[in-house]
Amino acid sequence: EHSIFPIDIEVIARDRSGLLRDISDVFSRERVNVIAVNTVSRDSSAKMRFTVEVRQVSDLFRVFARVMDVQGVQEVLRL
């Protein structure tokens, strides 16, 4: 039985059409469940906060790397 940890992460990116979908696709491919999302866009910049469920911290590093590959993403951090 694996424990599941909720983790808050923040993504800073240049805002564009389809950005949220592309980031959500990463979570989906990596089998990471998103339990909350909050996005704010201003001056062509997007700040997105996600609460995701992971089984181990090593999952997080892989997901961060994949999210960084999304076009426009500038920073990914754990809160």
Side-chain angles (χ1 to χ4, degrees), residues 30-48:
E30 295 296 324
R31 293 182 169 74
V32 171
N33 192 33
V34 177
I35 55 176
V37 61
N38 179 288
T39 71
V40 178
S41 298
R42 90 166 45 94
D43 301 329
S44 77
S45 180
K47 183 182 281 192
M48 303 178 166

Side-chain angles (χ1 to χ4, degrees), residues 34-75:
V34 177
I35 55 176
V37 61
N38 179 288
T39 71
V40 178
S41 298
R42 90 166 45 94
D43 301 329
S44 77
S45 180
K47 183 182 281 192
M48 303 178 166
R49 287 189 172 191
F50 299 90
T51 303
V52 299
E53 293 179 327
V54 295
R55 286 189 167 75
Q56 52 208 21
V57 175
S58 59
D59 291 345
L60 212 54
F61 298 121
R62 192 183 65 246
V63 170
F64 276 26
R66 299 280 195 279
V67 172
M68 282 299 296
D69 287 341
V70 172
Q71 182 197 332
V73 171
Q74 296 159 329
E75 196 174 0

Side-chain angles (χ1 to χ4, degrees), residues 3-48:
S3 298
I4 293 179
F5 306 97
I7 306 268
D8 293 320
I9 65 175
E10 187 168 82
V11 177
I12 311 289
R14 288 190 311 278
D15 199 16
R16 64 172 173 82
S17 178
L19 177 65
L20 180 60
R21 183 200 60 229
D22 290 351
I23 294 171
S24 296
D25 283 350
V26 170
F27 293 136
S28 179
R29 281 197 309 273
E30 295 296 324
R31 293 182 169 74
V32 171
N33 192 33
V34 177
I35 55 176
V37 61
N38 179 288
T39 71
V40 178
S41 298
R42 90 166 45 94
D43 301 329
S44 77
S45 180
K47 183 182 281 192
M48 303 178 166

